């Protein structure tokens, strides 16, 4: 077994796979890679099964040293990639010679990068997943300098040829289809109508739990009182007392006490949300 | 019973009481175990709702469930877990004052109560236990603690709970236990899973 050495952990780099859905009733968030398409692509590029654990970086990349030769691919937020100081391709499988350092640089656009290693990361799984969940404290800790990441044996699939893969660019405006309910009736009709032409932006307080918004106008409650905590789904748009929507991402709590005005369907829209930098305009589009 | 569609693949069922939630949750488990519910990824009870997430046609399922005859829960339904507690919590005297009893009477009152895990949340393995009559409901502390020790038995509102690990918390702490509430390598990982009945006995480390 080979182990990658973390040289520079980056602002927030975590191990992610498809997460641990199915344990919400025990209070366990689903977790998992935020940009599911970029994560899947990184694994495909190195010939891994689609659920192999990879690294998710945040804005400023990561640096790793490989004691044995391996193959890696970097996807998600476009960024410079270097091996032993020499520029190599982003979004394609690249060979890392034994002892070389892989440097994943700062994102040129977007937020989250994915670094897949041939064989996948084989940190100990918890409830069937290797994902780091910072909120629930499950899975491996976030990367720190000097940490060793065990890499599994390569699977039977070959490393595919260096095709050109279509990768969506990070959004200049985040379009989020929203299916109203279950608690849209907690808000005034006028403020709901205003949601479709709001001037909301991505808040810098966003994280893996949720994409927070700022700007406005805020949603206005049509009724007073508190909602008893209820189960939350991925993509739920929760509205705290300040009226500014929060889009729940993979680390969202399993229950919540603020009303959910609607749900953004998991898939491309939430993948884009994972790449939207603070300040990006957010527009909700009515979906059925 | 009110059914609400949540996005494209979830259904939220709203009920009038915690008892109705417990009864419907038990019925859903029975039907799922009998293979009569169809695919559902997560079945999440909460205070007044049950969420079914990862279902094929939430609207159709809602129509179906609304027609069910759900029998009320019997007292003996669900596995029983007994947990030994030391009544050494820093809020024991305050809770006794709110209950209008002496602190020494709290263990007897708690011990005579049959609790049930209504739902989990807040942290993995944190169960919200119902069973306390309304006159024994106590408010949260005005100022939450930044660190509540793991194993603390605590009360707030209609619920009792045991902190599975050290975390911030605003509940009133009346005791502590050595029971392991959460162990990801155990099956089930949570000692207090929804539907489990819980009794607290007075006892300490021996």
């Amino acid at each position: 077994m080979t182990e990658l050495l973390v040289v520079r952990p980056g602002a927030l780099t975590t191990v992610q796979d498809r997460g641990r859905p199915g344990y919400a009733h025990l209070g366990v968030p689903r977790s998992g890679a935020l940009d599911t398409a970029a994560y899947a692509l990184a694994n495909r590029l190195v010939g891994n099964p689609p659920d192999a654990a990879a690294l998710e970086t945040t804005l400023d990349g990561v640096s790793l040293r490989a004691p044995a030769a391996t193959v890696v691919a970097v996807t998600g937020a476009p960024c410079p990639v270097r091996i032993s100081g020499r520029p190599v391709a982003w979004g394609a499988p690249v060979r890392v010679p034994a002892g070389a350092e892989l440097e994943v640089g700062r994102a040129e656009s977007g937020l989250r990068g994915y670094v897949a290693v041939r064989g996948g990361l084989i940190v100990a799984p918890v409830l069937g997943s290797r994902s780091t969940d910072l909120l629930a404290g499950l899975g491996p800790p976030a990367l720190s300098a000097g940490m060793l990441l065990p890499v599994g044996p390569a699977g039977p699939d070959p490393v595919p040829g260096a095709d050109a893969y279509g990768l969506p660019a990070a959004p200049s405006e985040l379009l989020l289809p929203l299916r109203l309910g279950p608690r849209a009736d907690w808000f005034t009709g006028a403020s709901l109508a205003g949601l479709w032409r709001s001037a909301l932006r991505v808040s810098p307080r966003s994280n893996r739990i949720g994409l927070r918004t700022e700007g406005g106008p805020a949603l206005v409650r049509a009724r007073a009182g508190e909602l008893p905590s209820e189960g939350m789904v991925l993509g739920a748009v929760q509205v705290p007392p300040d009226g500014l929507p929060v889009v729940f991402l993979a680390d969202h709590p399993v229950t919540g006490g603020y009303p959910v005005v609607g749900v953004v369907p998991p898939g491309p829209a939430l993948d884009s949300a994972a790449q939207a930098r603070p300040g990006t305009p957010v527009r909700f589009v009515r979906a059925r | 019973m009110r059914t609400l569609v949540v996005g494209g693949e979830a259904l939220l069922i709203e009920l009038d009481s915690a008892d109705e939630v417990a009864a419907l949750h038990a019925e859903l488990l029975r039907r799922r175990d009998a293979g009569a519910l169809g695919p559902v990824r997560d079945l999440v009870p909460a205070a007044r709702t049950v969420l079914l997430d990862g279902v094929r046609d939430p609207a159709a399922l809602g129509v179906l469930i609304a027609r069910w005859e759900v029998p009320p829960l019997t007292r003996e339904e669900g596995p029983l877990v007994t947990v030994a507690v030391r009544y050494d919590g820093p809020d024991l005297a305050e809770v006794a004052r709110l209950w209008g009893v002496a602190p020494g009477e709290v263990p007897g009152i708690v011990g005579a109560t049959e609790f049930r895990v209504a739902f989990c949340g807040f942290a993995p393995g944190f169960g919200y236990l119902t069973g306390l009559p309304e006159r024994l409901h106590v408010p949260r502390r005005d100022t939450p603690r930044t660190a509540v020790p793991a194993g603390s038995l605590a009360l707030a509102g209609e619920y009792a709970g045991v902190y599975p690990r050290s975390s911030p918390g605003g509940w009133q702490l009346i005791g502590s236990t050595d029971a392991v509430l959460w162990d990801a390598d155990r099956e089930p990982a949570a000692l207090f899973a929804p539907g489990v009945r819980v009794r607290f006995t007075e006892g300490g480390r021996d």
Side-chain angles (χ1 to χ4, degrees):
Chain A
M1 182 184 70
T2 180
E3 285 178 318
L4 298 177
L5 171 70
V6 178
V7 178
R8 184 183 65 87
L12 174 64
T13 303
T14 57
V15 176
Q16 295 295 339
D17 56 16
R18 284 176 168 176
R20 42 186 78 85
Y23 294 97
H25 63 294
L26 300 183
V28 177
R30 75 165 57 210
S31 193
L34 290 194
D35 185 340
T36 57
Y39 157 73
L41 174 61
N43 271 329
R44 202 163 77 227
L45 287 171
V46 297
N48 280 350
D51 58 350
L55 293 177
E56 180 180 280
T57 64
T58 312
L59 198 62
D60 73 343
V62 67
S63 293
L64 308 163
R65 188 178 296 280
T70 184
V71 178
V72 302
V74 182
T75 65
C79 64
V81 183
R82 292 170 187 274
I83 291 172
S84 299
R86 296 164 68 167
V88 296
W90 172 91
V94 289
R95 294 187 184 280
V96 186
E101 186 172 325
L102 167 72
E103 292 171 80
V104 177
R106 189 177 177 82
E108 287 152 4
S109 64
L111 261 185
R112 293 181 170 98
Y114 294 86
V115 184
V117 186
R118 182 156 169 81
L121 302 174
I122 53 164
V123 295
V126 177
L127 299 175
S129 166
R130 298 185 161 93
S131 287
T132 298
D133 183 336
L134 296 172
L135 178 75
L138 300 176
L143 262 60
S144 55
M147 195 170 157
L148 292 168
L149 299 166
V151 178
D157 292 337
V159 173
D163 291 59
Y165 287 93
L167 289 162
S172 56
E173 180 188 48
L174 181 60
L175 276 182
L176 297 175
L178 183 72
R179 186 172 174 158
L180 288 177
R183 302 294 178 190
D185 59 344
W186 278 58
F187 303 94
T188 64
S191 74
L192 275 179
L195 184 62
W196 314 120
R197 42 174 198 276
S198 69
L200 294 166
R201 299 180 307 275
V202 176
S203 158
R205 291 162 59 230
S206 301
N207 54 26
R208 284 187 41 89
I209 296 167
L211 178 128
R212 292 173 178 274
T213 59
E214 60 185 16
L219 285 162
V220 179
R221 284 273 189 96
R223 59 165 90 179
E226 272 184 73
L227 185 71
S229 282
E230 59 191 27
M232 292 284 139
V233 301
L234 181 65
V237 179
Q238 213 191 37
V239 183
D242 66 8
L244 297 170
V246 179
V247 183
F248 271 167
L249 303 178
D251 281 359
H252 72 85
V254 299
T255 59
Y258 297 130
V260 170
V261 66
V263 179
V264 176
L270 287 186
D271 288 351
S272 302
Q275 299 295 359
R277 288 187 175 184
T280 304
V282 180
R283 193 152 60 88
F284 288 103
V285 186
R286 188 159 187 163
R288 282 216 50 82
Chain B
M1 182 191 293
R2 212 176 140 218
T3 59
L4 301 159
V5 170
V6 183
E9 55 171 40
L11 176 71
L12 189 68
I13 306 170
E14 194 170 31
L15 299 143
D16 291 327
S17 69
D19 286 347
E20 283 183 35
V21 170
L24 177 67
H25 180 244
E27 178 72 12
L28 285 163
L29 290 183
R30 276 193 296 271
R31 292 191 186 230
R32 189 183 64 180
D33 293 348
L37 185 59
V40 50
R41 185 182 54 236
D42 284 292
L43 200 57
V44 191
R48 295 291 179 270
T49 54
V50 180
L51 175 75
L52 292 92
D53 194 5
V55 300
R56 269 197 206 119
D57 185 345
L61 186 61
V63 171
L64 202 66
I65 291 174
R67 291 199 207 115
W68 288 0
E69 290 283 338
V70 178
L73 206 61
T74 58
R75 278 174 63 91
E76 297 76 24
E77 202 164 325
L80 176 68
V81 169
T82 301
V83 172
V85 170
R86 296 176 296 274
Y87 285 85
D88 54 4
D91 302 320
L92 182 68
E94 171 65 8
V95 167
R97 189 188 66 78
L98 289 163
W99 285 0
V101 302
E105 294 175 77
V106 171
I109 295 169
V110 173
T113 306
E114 179 129 326
F115 292 93
R116 184 181 290 277
V117 183
F119 58 98
C120 290
F122 174 64
F126 187 97
Y128 289 75
L129 276 52
T130 51
L132 283 173
E134 199 169 345
R135 67 191 153 77
L136 299 182
H137 296 178
V138 296
R140 282 160 202 269
R141 285 168 50 82
D142 291 337
T143 312
R145 290 185 171 86
T146 53
V148 172
S152 295
L153 170 60
L155 308 178
E158 62 184 300
Y159 302 113
V162 179
Y163 285 77
R165 58 164 198 245
S166 175
S167 56
W171 291 26
Q172 312 258 14
L173 311 184
I174 61 170
S176 59
T177 176
D178 297 328
V180 178
L181 273 292
W182 174 259
D183 177 357
D185 295 325
R186 184 177 63 190
E187 176 57 39
L191 187 65
F192 290 177
V196 165
R197 291 179 297 138
V198 180
R199 275 206 180 270
F200 294 105
T201 57
E202 189 172 8
R205 224 184 299 263
D206 41 36

